[in-house]
Amino acid sequence: EMKDTLSTAQYQKLDELGFIWSLQDYNFFYMANLLIEYGREYGTKDIPKSLIYRGEKLGVWVCSVRAGRKTLSLEREQYLNSIGFIFEPEKYRFENNLSLYKKACKNDISVPVDRKLEYDNVKIGEWAYNVKRFLVKLTQEQYEELLYKGFPFDLRMYRADRILVN
């Protein structure tokens, strides 16, 4: 390798200039920078798997990072956390939607909202309806949090064994 033939001073100079010593590092940081740019442009880093941004399959990259999280170096995981990478999209969406729902209800989540309500470009009324009627994609912790805060669930047509709480 070329870096083995460099003097310490040459190596340090290239390092100071931000020289990337491996293609794997280059690709990782290139895609991470695209994620940052996308977030600035669109106001979110919650990306669908199908997203292609600036000619790159950013959504596929995000999914592969999530899938390989257990093998991710601590340094890379910390870096991704520092740029707002969303490792748990369902949890992120729940928290984001609940926050918007609280704003729409003026912090009283026991008040039902219109199913057609949009808040901050999110169909928050539809989300609340789905949570209320079907408990869609809730963890037990999320369900208990909503129950405790008085969220108006509609369980009339569901038996306990059919509730979709994970």
Side-chain angles (χ1 to χ4, degrees):
E1 250 183 44
M2 186 179 144
K3 75 178 182 178
D4 295 335
T5 64
L6 297 174
S7 70
T8 303
Q10 290 171 318
Y11 181 84
Q12 286 175 342
K13 186 68 174 167
L14 286 171
D15 231 14
E16 288 169 14
L17 293 171
F19 189 81
I20 297 176
W21 296 97
S22 83
L23 188 57
Q24 186 179 21
D25 285 344
Y26 173 80
N27 288 334
F28 176 83
F29 288 105
Y30 174 76
M31 294 303 282
N33 283 326
L34 280 181
L35 178 64
I36 293 167
E37 289 175 24
Y38 180 85
R40 285 185 187 136
E41 189 173 337
Y42 293 99
T44 184
K45 291 179 184 137
D46 185 14
I47 307 187
K49 184 176 183 177
S50 61
L51 180 77
I52 296 175
Y53 180 68
R54 299 199 177 169
E56 299 290 345
K57 294 180 179 179
L58 188 57
V60 171
W61 179 79
V62 166
C63 288
S64 69
V65 169
R66 286 182 188 138
R69 185 176 187 184
K70 290 180 181 174
T71 60
L72 206 56
S73 72
L74 180 59
E75 179 183 68
R76 284 191 180 187
E77 185 166 353
Q78 288 173 339
Y79 175 74
L80 290 171
N81 282 325
S82 78
I83 66 167
F85 186 89
I86 300 169
F87 280 104
E88 300 175 56
E90 285 83 15
K91 182 179 178 182
Y92 168 83
R93 289 181 198 119
F94 173 81
E95 290 169 359
N96 187 55
N97 288 343
L98 179 57
S99 173
L100 293 174
Y101 186 75
K102 284 178 181 179
K103 289 176 186 174
C105 297
K106 297 180 175 67
N107 258 348
D108 183 2
I109 67 170
S110 66
V111 176
V113 297
D114 182 349
R115 188 173 174 183
K116 294 179 181 140
L117 175 70
E118 286 196 29
Y119 194 90
D120 208 16
N121 294 321
V122 175
K123 294 179 180 178
I124 203 66
E126 188 67 25
W127 173 81
Y129 173 80
N130 287 329
V131 169
K132 205 180 297 184
R133 293 291 304 273
F134 307 113
L135 304 181
V136 173
K137 295 184 180 179
L138 292 181
T139 64
Q140 190 65 36
E141 182 181 294
Q142 291 166 340
Y143 172 70
E144 288 170 6
E145 177 186 356
L146 289 175
L147 196 60
Y148 176 75
K149 291 180 179 175
F151 189 83
F153 289 107
D154 181 0
L155 303 177
R156 289 174 294 180
M157 54 192 287
Y158 292 95
R159 299 186 322 257
D161 63 327
R162 294 186 61 206
I163 294 175
L164 301 176
V165 175
N166 295 330

